[in-house]
């Protein structure tokens, strides 16, 4: 059910600011309450989602400092005092959410967030297929799951995208390149079943965080990456695992860097110093070694104090640019990592603008 709140002049300023959605909230932010159960009755490999239906009463908490672009502007006098105003706040209907199996392993699952075609259209009129974003979670290749993207996914569906959040086999269960293979399998599943969610299979972008960011850049450079996806957005991607392995050996390494070093060893199941054959696997896990003409354009983001430094992306960017592939590397202030970069007020708008430009 849509909730509509009409505010009078006395409460106008409060209502106007209450319309905004917190820009940096992610998995820790409560989410909108669904008002209906998806009606997909296809008999394909579908399993119920353990977290696809949030509990009632978990609507997002508005930020008092953020104003919505959809709110009516305040009418101000010369000293900017509010004389009269009104605003309407509408809680949008949440997207449909369903979990699908794209493989036999219990980690080979993905959640799809999509919105049904608007009501009122002629039964013979066909809705225009929507672009899609495949998102891959972080967690050192050792932990994390697709629910990490839940809030972001629901927010992005309001911008006209269908969002697919995929799990993949963790390094504790399967060594590299199983993680890339799983992401490729998830992408194939989405393309094959695009009609279920009215997705345009030619307008898919992949986005990942940290370890998932590295898998995302691997998709963008795998063979001719531009044939697979329209583009790649990666937050703190570990694009060069060997750099992370070296950083974790330094005397001043942080606990996160030491953990990442161990995760690289777990992912590759070999040690560079002890096994000469390990280098083939190390090179394969380095996204820059796959860069070639025709790869997918990329937006690579780090923070200035990120424990996965921007050097993980500058090397990849150099290789992509040499092959004629557009790439943007950006560093934002602070020490945030992965999804935490969204707490910077300019990051989400930057990502959204980039996604829309790549999926026109």
């Amino acid at each position: 059910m849509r909730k509509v709140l009409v505010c009078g002049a006395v409460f106008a300023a409060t209502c106007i600011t209450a319309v905004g959605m917190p820009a940096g909230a992610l998995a820790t932010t409560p989410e909108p309450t669904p008002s209906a159960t998806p009606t997909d009755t296809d008999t394909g490999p579908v399993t119920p989602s353990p977290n696809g239906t949030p509990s009632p009463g978990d609507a997002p908490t508005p930020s008092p400092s953020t104003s919505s672009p959809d709110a009516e502007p305040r009418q101000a006098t010369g000293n900017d005092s509010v004389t009269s105003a009104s605003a309407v706040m509408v809680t949008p209907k949440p997207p449909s959410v369903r979990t699908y199996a794209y493989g036999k392993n219990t980690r080979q699952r993905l959640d799809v967030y999509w919105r049904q075609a608007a009501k009122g259209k002629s039964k013979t009129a066909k809705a225009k297929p929507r672009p899609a974003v495949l998102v891959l979670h972080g967690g050192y290749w050792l932990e994390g799951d697709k629910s990490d993207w839940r809030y972001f996914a629901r927010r992005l569906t309001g911008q006209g995208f269908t969002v697919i959040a995929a799990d993949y086999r963790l390094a504790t269960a399967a060594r590299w390149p199983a993680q890339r293979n799983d992401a490729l399998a998830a992408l194939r599943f989405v393309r094959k079943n695009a009609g279920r969610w009215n997705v345009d299979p030619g307008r898919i972008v992949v986005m990942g965080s940290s370890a998932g960011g590295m898998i995302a850049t691997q998709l963008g450079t795998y063979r001719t990456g531009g044939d697979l996806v329209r583009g790649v957005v990666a937050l703190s991607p570990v694009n060069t695992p060997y750099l992370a392995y070296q950083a974790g050996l330094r005397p001043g390494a942080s606990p996160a860097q030491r953990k990442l070093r161990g995760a690289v060893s777990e992912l590759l199941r070999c040690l560079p110093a002890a096994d000469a054959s390990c280098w083939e696997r190390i090179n394969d896990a380095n996204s820059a070694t796959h860069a070639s003409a025709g790869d997918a354009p990329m937006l690579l983001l780090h923070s200035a104090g990120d424990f996965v430094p921007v050097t993980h992306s500058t090397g990849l960017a150099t290789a992509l640019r040499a092959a004629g592939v557009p790439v943007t590397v950006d560093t934002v202030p602070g020490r945030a990592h992965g999804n935490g970069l969204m707490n910077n007020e300019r990051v989400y708008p930057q990502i959204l603008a980039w996604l829309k430009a790549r999926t026109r």
Side-chain angles (χ1 to χ4, degrees):
M1 180 180 294
R2 291 195 175 193
K3 300 178 182 177
V4 180
L5 173 65
V6 180
C7 307
V10 177
F11 302 106
T14 301
C15 292
I16 289 171
T17 57
V19 182
M21 187 76 73
L26 285 167
T28 57
T29 304
E31 300 147 20
T33 305
S35 58
T37 302
T39 56
D40 185 354
T41 56
D42 196 295
T43 56
V46 179
T47 57
S49 173
N51 49 29
T53 306
S55 60
D58 56 353
T61 302
S63 168
S65 61
T66 306
S67 60
S68 166
D70 300 321
E72 284 188 25
R74 296 187 302 171
Q75 298 177 6
T77 62
N79 61 1
D80 199 33
S81 63
V82 177
T83 56
S84 66
S86 64
V88 176
M89 182 171 70
V90 178
T91 301
K93 182 180 178 180
S96 299
V97 185
R98 192 149 190 166
T99 298
Y100 299 83
Y102 67 85
K104 295 181 180 180
N105 190 279
T106 56
R107 288 287 303 185
Q108 293 170 326
R109 301 290 184 270
L110 53 81
D111 292 340
V112 181
Y113 299 74
W114 80 100
R115 292 189 181 273
Q116 305 290 353
K119 292 182 178 179
K121 289 182 177 291
S122 167
K123 290 184 178 180
T124 58
K126 189 174 182 180
K128 182 180 178 180
R130 295 188 171 201
V133 181
L134 171 66
V135 290
L136 303 168
H137 68 82
Y140 299 86
W141 306 284
L142 301 174
E143 56 199 42
D145 62 63
K146 51 190 167 55
S147 67
D148 293 351
W149 289 102
R150 188 167 49 191
Y151 177 80
F152 175 82
R154 294 185 177 191
R155 187 180 186 189
L156 201 57
T157 59
Q159 296 292 334
F161 293 88
T162 292
V163 180
I164 303 97
D167 277 344
Y168 48 86
R169 284 172 290 171
L170 301 176
T172 50
R175 69 169 175 84
W176 182 262
Q179 296 70 30
R180 180 179 63 201
N181 292 341
D182 283 358
L184 288 167
L187 184 59
R188 287 193 296 270
F189 179 85
V190 171
R191 289 182 180 279
K192 182 178 179 180
N193 295 279
R196 290 189 183 191
W197 322 292
N198 196 35
V199 163
D200 182 347
R203 292 193 294 157
I204 300 175
V205 172
V206 62
M207 179 171 174
S209 169
S210 192
M214 171 266 207
I215 300 171
T217 61
Q218 286 274 328
L219 291 192
T221 56
Y222 186 75
R223 295 178 181 172
T224 303
D227 291 341
L228 294 174
V229 292
R230 280 282 190 94
V232 175
V233 178
L235 308 175
S236 307
V238 193
N239 291 319
T240 313
Y242 186 60
L243 280 181
Y245 180 84
Q246 289 179 309
L249 286 171
R250 293 170 186 159
S254 68
Q257 288 173 320
R258 290 196 294 271
K259 180 176 179 178
L260 186 55
R261 172 182 173 269
V264 171
S265 296
E266 186 77 33
L267 177 72
L268 301 177
R269 302 285 176 85
C270 62
L271 297 175
D275 185 358
S277 65
C278 190
W279 285 104
E280 182 177 352
R281 213 170 298 163
I282 289 172
N283 289 332
D284 185 44
N286 181 352
S287 299
T289 64
H290 300 288
S292 62
D295 283 344
M298 298 193 187
L299 173 63
L300 310 173
L301 303 171
H302 295 257
S303 70
D306 204 328
F307 75 87
V308 176
V310 71
T311 50
H312 277 264
S313 289
T314 52
L316 173 58
T318 298
L320 287 170
R321 287 169 184 151
V325 179
V327 57
T328 299
V329 180
D330 197 6
T331 303
V332 301
R335 303 183 62 83
H337 174 75
N339 285 7
L341 291 171
M342 295 281 196
N343 291 323
N344 183 290
E345 61 184 6
R346 72 177 170 87
V347 169
Y348 177 77
Q350 180 181 16
I351 291 172
L352 181 60
W354 196 91
L355 291 174
K356 287 185 174 181
R358 292 305 313 162
T359 55
R360 287 174 182 163

